[in-house]
Amino acid sequence: MGRVELPGGVCATESEALTALAAEAKRRGVSYGHLVADTTERERAEIIRDYCAEKRRNRRNRRKK
């Protein structure tokens, strides 16, 4: 899996990428292997970016409370 650049010039860690794809596979009701086989590199990068953005939003919202 290649590096996925996130906004701000940082890259998703390997752990974040795997977690994002595993969560998306579970959400779709397919196995991780099927998800990876049935999506393009671009689609996987988008899934990872969306996951990291959501994670950042949740972290920011917790700090406001």
Side-chain angles (χ1 to χ4, degrees):
M1 181 179 322
R3 289 185 145 318
V4 176
E5 190 167 327
L6 304 173
V10 297
C11 292
T13 65
E14 194 70 24
S15 176
E16 287 172 324
L18 291 171
T19 301
L21 294 174
E24 181 65 15
K26 184 174 184 178
R27 188 186 72 74
R28 292 185 186 192
V30 298
S31 72
Y32 172 84
H34 279 116
L35 178 74
V36 172
D38 293 343
T39 55
T40 64
E41 184 66 32
R42 175 179 249 161
E43 289 171 310
R44 290 189 297 273
E46 187 176 320
I47 291 167
I48 294 164
R49 275 192 217 95
D50 290 347
Y51 171 84
C52 289
E54 181 67 26
K55 190 173 148 185
R56 252 192 324 279
R57 274 193 299 274
N58 288 341
R59 199 177 311 136
R60 237 181 280 144
N61 288 338
R62 269 187 269 144
R63 288 181 189 156
K64 288 182 181 181
K65 292 181 181 181

